[in-house]
């Protein structure tokens, strides 16, 4: 059971390692309000690339539908 979550803007993949090192149970890559509208396409590309280094934490991506 996950007890702690840390949310990282999807446009900043370099922060995933920092988030994982914090000792949380789940690292969530956020796309909606954490990313400026002009950066959303690049953030989606980071998520789609699957550049999740195998840490012990569960990695998830939180997306919203494009309007």
């Amino acid at each position: 059971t996950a007890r702690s979550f840390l949310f990282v803007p999807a446009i900043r993949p370099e922060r995933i390692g920092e988030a994982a090192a914090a000792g949380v149970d789940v690292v969530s890559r956020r796309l909606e309000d954490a990313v400026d509208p002009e950066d959303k396409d690049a953030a989606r590309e980071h998520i789609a690339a699957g550049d999740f280094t195998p840490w012990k934490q569960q990695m998830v991506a939180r997306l919203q539908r494009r309007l």
Side-chain angles (χ1 to χ4, degrees):
T1 303
R3 296 170 292 148
S4 58
F5 293 75
L6 191 56
F7 297 90
V8 177
I11 194 65
R12 302 293 303 270
E14 71 278 4
R15 290 192 178 172
I16 294 172
E18 296 170 17
V24 297
D25 296 319
V26 177
V27 176
S28 176
R29 298 175 71 170
R30 295 194 54 163
L31 183 57
E32 61 266 346
D33 56 346
V35 177
D36 290 330
E38 62 271 8
D39 294 328
K40 288 194 186 289
D41 286 338
R44 285 184 184 97
E45 289 176 15
H46 286 301
I47 291 171
D51 56 352
F52 297 104
T53 302
W55 289 289
K56 66 178 183 173
Q57 289 85 357
Q58 178 180 357
M59 298 285 175
V60 298
R62 183 174 178 193
L63 309 171
Q64 69 183 26
R65 67 183 175 106
R66 200 183 301 202
L67 299 175

